[in-house]
Amino acid sequence: MPVNIHGKKIELLDGGLGTCLEDLCSINFSESTPLWSSDLVIRDPKTLEDLQQSFSRAGADILLTATYQASFQGFAKTSRSDETAGISREEAAAYMRSAVSIAQRAHEKNGKKEGRIALSLGAYGATMLPSTEYSGEYDPEHLSRHRLLQFHLERLRVFTENRETWENIDYVAFETLPRSDEIYAVREAMQAVYQVDTYHQYLSHKPFWISCVYPQDDQHLPDGSSIEQVAKAMFESYQAQWFGRRLPLTRVAEICPNLSLLASTAQSFLYFATLPQSFNLQFAASVMKRLLLSFTRTARRTSFTTLRPKIGSLEKAIGTILKCPGTKNWQPLYKIWLQQRMVFGKALL
């Protein structure tokens, strides 16, 4: 169940579904299973439910649905359980929605009436064969922001057009995006759901987050987007109710050199944000605050030689953030950081 740290509720998210299916359940994925872990909603929903139940039992408050690689194209290339070729769009939509029910039952079997469900939606590249979400090398038909918007909106509507399914979803997770145009596309897709699909009177707003493939050695995403361009794509104003940004598979030490760029770029957009007040500067401050606390904890286990070159960029980022309006509550945190610095010794000064 969620824990409270300094008055803030912390929820634990699961992860590693595909890896656990392979390592613990002896299920093999290859190009012959274009849906990857989503294939289990067709062939073995019980194994999927049992594994997600184990995640919930181990302490996960939020379960990600087995829909990361799901797409109409993937289902069309997949045989049914009776081995007949191809699954229709209508059947595919039903299978995708069933992943939400499976995750919900996994929580319920552990007695977690308040267990949360996050709808997992991977990048377009995650649905390709071979998958390209870590390279950003998409087919010619999906190299434009408009076509990526169409892809993500079509898949989102599988869930929004069914009232029971949508009401059982707590969050929407767009994961491992390797391109800045796709960041724009998923944000526009969420906006379109609420602005265009108004005929669904029951359509409640869902908070969502975006995770990106961490920048390469040249500090760019696989598509060549710079850190500043990624921050612009994430923070430019839309009305959709986003609440998170995440860098998966990232060491804290690699985040620090980019904090200043992220903070300074985000600041220019947050000054003019049209999002509700509770979701602009307050949110940006909370994200950076968590990064700083994480760095402080990690620093205790890191050598002085490794830390020394990172301190300057980290403090530059803190200075940028403290100049933003509405961040006075950061001053006590900054004092904690200075005290922690003294613990590291004069080698860091």
Short mmCIF file of all heavy atoms in Angstrom, two decimals, residues 295 303-313 315 334-349:
data_model
loop_
_atom_site.label_atom_id
_atom_site.label_comp_id
_atom_site.label_asym_id
_atom_site.label_seq_id
_atom_site.Cartn_x
_atom_site.Cartn_y
_atom_site.Cartn_z
N PHE A 295 19.84 12.05 -5.85
CA PHE A 295 21.28 12.24 -6.02
C PHE A 295 21.98 12.27 -4.67
O PHE A 295 23.05 11.69 -4.49
CB PHE A 295 21.54 13.54 -6.77
CG PHE A 295 23.01 13.84 -6.95
CD1 PHE A 295 23.70 13.31 -8.03
CD2 PHE A 295 23.69 14.63 -6.05
CE1 PHE A 295 25.04 13.56 -8.20
CE2 PHE A 295 25.04 14.89 -6.21
CZ PHE A 295 25.71 14.36 -7.29
N SER A 303 32.26 7.51 -5.21
CA SER A 303 33.58 8.04 -4.89
C SER A 303 33.65 9.54 -5.15
O SER A 303 32.93 10.08 -6.00
CB SER A 303 34.64 7.34 -5.75
OG SER A 303 34.50 7.71 -7.11
N PHE A 304 34.54 10.22 -4.43
CA PHE A 304 34.73 11.66 -4.62
C PHE A 304 35.13 11.97 -6.05
O PHE A 304 34.68 12.95 -6.64
CB PHE A 304 35.81 12.17 -3.66
CG PHE A 304 35.37 12.20 -2.22
CD1 PHE A 304 36.31 12.24 -1.20
CD2 PHE A 304 34.02 12.20 -1.89
CE1 PHE A 304 35.90 12.28 0.13
CE2 PHE A 304 33.61 12.24 -0.57
CZ PHE A 304 34.55 12.27 0.45
N THR A 305 35.98 11.15 -6.63
CA THR A 305 36.47 11.40 -7.99
C THR A 305 35.32 11.42 -8.99
O THR A 305 35.29 12.24 -9.91
CB THR A 305 37.48 10.31 -8.40
OG1 THR A 305 38.55 10.29 -7.45
CG2 THR A 305 38.03 10.58 -9.79
N THR A 306 34.38 10.53 -8.80
CA THR A 306 33.23 10.47 -9.70
C THR A 306 32.29 11.64 -9.48
O THR A 306 31.72 12.21 -10.43
CB THR A 306 32.45 9.16 -9.49
OG1 THR A 306 33.33 8.07 -9.70
CG2 THR A 306 31.27 9.05 -10.44
N LEU A 307 32.14 12.05 -8.22
CA LEU A 307 31.18 13.10 -7.91
C LEU A 307 31.66 14.50 -8.27
O LEU A 307 30.87 15.34 -8.69
CB LEU A 307 30.86 13.09 -6.41
CG LEU A 307 29.88 12.04 -5.92
CD1 LEU A 307 29.79 12.07 -4.42
CD2 LEU A 307 28.51 12.27 -6.53
N ARG A 308 32.97 14.76 -8.13
CA ARG A 308 33.47 16.12 -8.22
C ARG A 308 33.02 16.86 -9.49
O ARG A 308 32.52 17.98 -9.41
CB ARG A 308 34.99 16.12 -8.12
CG ARG A 308 35.57 17.53 -7.96
CD ARG A 308 37.09 17.48 -7.89
NE ARG A 308 37.56 16.83 -6.69
CZ ARG A 308 38.19 15.67 -6.66
NH1 ARG A 308 38.38 15.00 -7.78
NH2 ARG A 308 38.61 15.14 -5.52
N PRO A 309 33.16 16.28 -10.70
CA PRO A 309 32.77 17.03 -11.90
C PRO A 309 31.27 17.24 -12.06
O PRO A 309 30.83 18.04 -12.87
CB PRO A 309 33.32 16.14 -13.04
CG PRO A 309 33.39 14.78 -12.46
CD PRO A 309 33.76 14.97 -11.03
N LYS A 310 30.47 16.50 -11.27
CA LYS A 310 29.02 16.61 -11.41
C LYS A 310 28.41 17.66 -10.48
O LYS A 310 27.28 18.08 -10.68
CB LYS A 310 28.37 15.25 -11.16
CG LYS A 310 28.92 14.14 -12.06
CD LYS A 310 28.25 12.83 -11.79
CE LYS A 310 28.88 11.72 -12.61
NZ LYS A 310 28.85 11.98 -14.05
N ILE A 311 29.16 18.04 -9.45
CA ILE A 311 28.61 18.96 -8.46
C ILE A 311 28.28 20.31 -9.08
O ILE A 311 27.23 20.89 -8.82
CB ILE A 311 29.59 19.14 -7.29
CG1 ILE A 311 29.80 17.81 -6.57
CG2 ILE A 311 29.08 20.19 -6.31
CD1 ILE A 311 28.55 17.21 -5.99
N GLY A 312 29.18 20.80 -9.94
CA GLY A 312 28.96 22.12 -10.53
C GLY A 312 27.69 22.18 -11.35
O GLY A 312 26.90 23.12 -11.21
N SER A 313 27.47 21.18 -12.20
CA SER A 313 26.27 21.20 -13.04
C SER A 313 25.02 21.04 -12.21
O SER A 313 23.97 21.63 -12.49
CB SER A 313 26.34 20.09 -14.09
OG SER A 313 26.45 18.82 -13.49
N GLU A 315 24.56 22.05 -9.03
CA GLU A 315 24.27 23.29 -8.31
C GLU A 315 23.80 24.39 -9.26
O GLU A 315 22.99 25.24 -8.90
CB GLU A 315 25.50 23.72 -7.52
CG GLU A 315 25.80 22.76 -6.37
CD GLU A 315 26.78 23.34 -5.37
OE1 GLU A 315 27.63 24.15 -5.76
OE2 GLU A 315 26.67 22.97 -4.19
N TYR A 334 17.56 23.21 -0.16
CA TYR A 334 18.90 23.63 -0.54
C TYR A 334 19.83 23.62 0.67
O TYR A 334 21.00 23.26 0.57
CB TYR A 334 18.84 25.02 -1.16
CG TYR A 334 20.14 25.47 -1.78
CD1 TYR A 334 20.79 24.67 -2.72
CD2 TYR A 334 20.71 26.69 -1.45
CE1 TYR A 334 21.97 25.07 -3.31
CE2 TYR A 334 21.90 27.09 -2.03
CZ TYR A 334 22.52 26.29 -2.96
OH TYR A 334 23.70 26.69 -3.54
N LYS A 335 19.33 24.00 1.84
CA LYS A 335 20.13 23.96 3.06
C LYS A 335 20.52 22.53 3.40
O LYS A 335 21.64 22.25 3.83
CB LYS A 335 19.36 24.60 4.21
CG LYS A 335 19.18 26.10 4.07
CD LYS A 335 18.42 26.68 5.25
CE LYS A 335 18.24 28.19 5.10
NZ LYS A 335 17.47 28.78 6.23
N ILE A 336 19.57 21.60 3.20
CA ILE A 336 19.87 20.18 3.44
C ILE A 336 20.99 19.73 2.52
O ILE A 336 21.91 19.01 2.92
CB ILE A 336 18.61 19.32 3.23
CG1 ILE A 336 17.56 19.65 4.29
CG2 ILE A 336 18.95 17.83 3.25
CD1 ILE A 336 16.24 18.96 4.06
N TRP A 337 20.92 20.16 1.26
CA TRP A 337 21.95 19.79 0.30
C TRP A 337 23.32 20.32 0.75
O TRP A 337 24.33 19.63 0.69
CB TRP A 337 21.60 20.32 -1.07
CG TRP A 337 22.76 20.29 -2.04
CD1 TRP A 337 23.41 21.35 -2.57
CD2 TRP A 337 23.39 19.13 -2.59
NE1 TRP A 337 24.41 20.93 -3.40
CE2 TRP A 337 24.41 19.57 -3.43
CE3 TRP A 337 23.19 17.75 -2.43
CZ2 TRP A 337 25.24 18.70 -4.11
CZ3 TRP A 337 24.01 16.89 -3.12
CH2 TRP A 337 25.02 17.36 -3.94
N LEU A 338 23.37 21.56 1.19
CA LEU A 338 24.63 22.13 1.63
C LEU A 338 25.19 21.37 2.83
O LEU A 338 26.40 21.14 2.93
CB LEU A 338 24.43 23.61 1.98
CG LEU A 338 24.13 24.53 0.79
CD1 LEU A 338 23.89 25.96 1.28
CD2 LEU A 338 25.27 24.51 -0.22
N GLN A 339 24.31 20.97 3.74
CA GLN A 339 24.75 20.20 4.90
C GLN A 339 25.30 18.84 4.45
O GLN A 339 26.31 18.36 4.98
CB GLN A 339 23.58 20.00 5.88
CG GLN A 339 23.13 21.29 6.55
CD GLN A 339 21.83 21.10 7.32
OE1 GLN A 339 21.24 20.03 7.32
NE2 GLN A 339 21.38 22.17 7.96
N GLN A 340 24.63 18.23 3.49
CA GLN A 340 25.07 16.94 3.00
C GLN A 340 26.44 17.05 2.33
O GLN A 340 27.28 16.17 2.41
CB GLN A 340 24.05 16.36 2.01
CG GLN A 340 24.34 14.94 1.57
CD GLN A 340 24.32 13.98 2.74
OE1 GLN A 340 23.36 13.93 3.48
NE2 GLN A 340 25.41 13.26 2.94
N ARG A 341 26.65 18.17 1.66
CA ARG A 341 27.92 18.42 1.00
C ARG A 341 29.08 18.37 2.01
O ARG A 341 30.17 17.89 1.70
CB ARG A 341 27.88 19.80 0.34
CG ARG A 341 28.07 19.78 -1.16
CD ARG A 341 27.79 21.16 -1.72
NE ARG A 341 28.60 21.41 -2.89
CZ ARG A 341 29.73 22.10 -2.86
NH1 ARG A 341 30.18 22.57 -1.72
NH2 ARG A 341 30.42 22.29 -3.96
N MET A 342 28.81 18.92 3.17
CA MET A 342 29.85 18.93 4.19
C MET A 342 30.21 17.52 4.63
O MET A 342 31.35 17.23 4.97
CB MET A 342 29.36 19.74 5.40
CG MET A 342 29.12 21.23 5.07
SD MET A 342 30.61 22.05 4.49
CE MET A 342 31.59 21.99 6.01
N VAL A 343 29.22 16.63 4.58
CA VAL A 343 29.47 15.23 4.95
C VAL A 343 30.46 14.60 3.97
O VAL A 343 31.29 13.78 4.34
CB VAL A 343 28.15 14.43 4.97
CG1 VAL A 343 28.42 12.95 5.24
CG2 VAL A 343 27.22 15.01 6.04
N PHE A 344 30.35 14.99 2.67
CA PHE A 344 31.23 14.40 1.67
C PHE A 344 32.70 14.81 1.89
O PHE A 344 33.61 14.10 1.48
CB PHE A 344 30.81 14.83 0.27
CG PHE A 344 29.41 14.44 -0.07
CD1 PHE A 344 28.68 15.18 -0.98
CD2 PHE A 344 28.81 13.35 0.53
CE1 PHE A 344 27.37 14.83 -1.29
CE2 PHE A 344 27.51 13.00 0.23
CZ PHE A 344 26.80 13.74 -0.68
N GLY A 345 32.91 15.97 2.50
CA GLY A 345 34.29 16.42 2.76
C GLY A 345 34.74 17.51 1.84
O GLY A 345 34.07 17.87 0.87
N LYS A 346 35.91 18.08 2.13
CA LYS A 346 36.43 19.22 1.38
C LYS A 346 36.76 18.86 -0.06
O LYS A 346 36.88 19.74 -0.91
CB LYS A 346 37.68 19.75 2.07
CG LYS A 346 37.40 20.40 3.44
CD LYS A 346 38.67 20.99 4.02
CE LYS A 346 38.37 21.65 5.35
NZ LYS A 346 39.59 22.24 5.96
N ALA A 347 36.89 17.61 -0.37
CA ALA A 347 37.22 17.22 -1.74
C ALA A 347 36.14 17.62 -2.72
O ALA A 347 36.39 17.72 -3.93
CB ALA A 347 37.43 15.71 -1.82
N LEU A 348 34.93 17.85 -2.23
CA LEU A 348 33.83 18.22 -3.12
C LEU A 348 33.68 19.72 -3.23
O LEU A 348 32.88 20.21 -4.02
CB LEU A 348 32.51 17.63 -2.59
CG LEU A 348 32.42 16.10 -2.59
CD1 LEU A 348 31.08 15.68 -2.02
CD2 LEU A 348 32.60 15.55 -3.98
N LEU A 349 34.37 20.48 -2.44
CA LEU A 349 34.20 21.93 -2.42
C LEU A 349 35.10 22.62 -3.43
O LEU A 349 36.10 22.09 -3.83
CB LEU A 349 34.48 22.44 -1.01
CG LEU A 349 33.56 21.87 0.07
CD1 LEU A 349 33.97 22.39 1.45
CD2 LEU A 349 32.11 22.26 -0.21
#
